[in-house]
Amino acid sequence: MQTRANLQGGFWSGEPVIWEIADKPVPYEKALARMEAEVDAIADGAPERVWLLEHPPLYTAGTSADPHDLVAPDRFPVFTTGRGGQYTYHGPGQRVAYVMLDLSRRRRDVRAYVSALESWLIETLEEFNICGERREDRVGVWVKRPDRGPDVEEKVAALGIRLRRWVSFHGISLNVEPDLSHFTGIVPCGVKNHGVTSLVDLGLPVTMNDADTALRRAFESVFGPTNAVL
């Protein structure tokens, strides 16, 4: 029997994905080094993995980053990274999920994979009765803010990926309760006319554990089963 995820995305695989949650903030350099090693191992047949974590406050510059969008270069450490996209912020209260999936085992279609990541985030937000939406001219997942004006939209989740040997790394970030003032040191993802929000800013008393539970359930809907690291 085909599930909704099979019909929509076609990114299921036969083997469960390892689902790992870091118990303390992970420095960016350490996370990047581990991702590099995990991706190589997955390409050679190791189990796929999703690694959920928080970072200390920092900015990252994707492959399309415009230096003019780094408004406060001395505010937090800045890391140049190989993922797609522009400048983004990571910090406490934001759930980062590094998604290491082998598209050779699933579907070799990068555009469809990005769409599947967006579907994962949108389904996660649905668990909290939030309507997240895609935009053709902007990357990420957006919510309308009629309480702030008729045309106001804000980003609640971001994504940026890289592939090596058809294995994905980097991934997504969901703003649960970060310090939103930290985003003012950059032009997030190069988008000047729209702001940034979070689940708590939207009026939801959501904890990181709540977000993790919703993320895992939605991930399994889109990508298939997971096994937690004990």
Side-chain angles (χ1 to χ4, degrees):
M1 181 179 69
Q2 286 191 308
T3 67
R4 178 176 57 164
N6 291 127
L7 292 168
Q8 289 182 342
F11 274 97
W12 277 44
S13 176
E15 297 296 326
V17 176
I18 296 173
W19 187 266
E20 179 180 355
I21 303 176
D23 59 3
K24 59 184 178 181
V26 180
Y28 188 77
E29 307 98 314
K30 182 177 179 180
L32 188 60
R34 179 169 175 199
M35 267 198 297
E36 298 270 352
E38 294 283 3
V39 164
D40 288 339
I42 291 166
D44 290 332
E48 298 169 304
R49 184 179 297 264
V50 174
W51 186 23
L52 283 72
L53 51 80
E54 294 175 85
H55 284 305
L58 59 93
Y59 298 128
T60 65
T63 55
S64 303
D66 181 343
H68 294 98
D69 289 343
L70 183 59
V71 178
D74 299 322
R75 188 171 187 181
F76 298 125
V78 181
F79 296 93
T80 300
T81 179
R83 62 157 175 81
Q86 303 186 50
Y87 280 103
T88 193
Y89 165 78
H90 294 313
Q94 180 191 70
R95 176 53 86 207
V96 173
Y98 289 128
V99 186
M100 293 164 274
L101 301 181
D102 186 351
L103 300 192
S104 293
R105 307 180 201 178
R106 294 172 178 270
R107 181 179 172 190
R108 288 192 178 193
D109 185 330
V110 178
R111 182 173 295 182
Y113 174 61
V114 171
S115 179
L117 291 174
E118 292 172 337
S119 293
W120 171 28
L121 288 165
I122 289 168
E123 287 197 27
T124 299
L125 294 171
E126 285 176 356
E127 298 238 357
F128 303 107
N129 294 314
I130 296 173
C131 180
E133 299 180 356
R134 298 176 173 90
R135 291 292 178 264
E136 292 297 325
D137 59 337
R138 294 176 248 138
V139 177
V141 176
W142 300 80
V143 293
K144 294 178 180 177
R145 298 300 306 266
D147 55 315
R148 297 185 177 178
D151 299 315
V152 176
E153 297 182 347
E154 294 178 329
K155 179 183 280 191
V156 68
L159 60 96
I161 68 164
R162 184 179 177 186
L163 295 178
R164 178 185 296 159
R165 297 166 63 190
W166 285 102
V167 178
S168 69
F169 55 126
H170 298 282
I172 62 97
S173 60
L174 175 65
N175 295 333
V176 180
E177 193 178 8
D179 185 336
L180 294 178
S181 71
H182 290 179
F183 287 89
T184 61
I186 57 172
V187 178
C189 300
V191 178
K192 297 180 173 65
N193 300 323
H194 300 278
V196 178
T197 189
S198 69
L199 298 181
V200 170
D201 184 54
L202 290 167
L204 298 166
V206 177
T207 68
M208 194 65 75
N209 286 339
D210 295 334
D212 290 345
T213 298
L215 281 164
R216 186 174 183 182
R217 189 153 41 227
F219 179 90
E220 291 184 336
S221 171
V222 175
F223 292 102
T226 62
N227 279 337
V229 173
L230 299 179

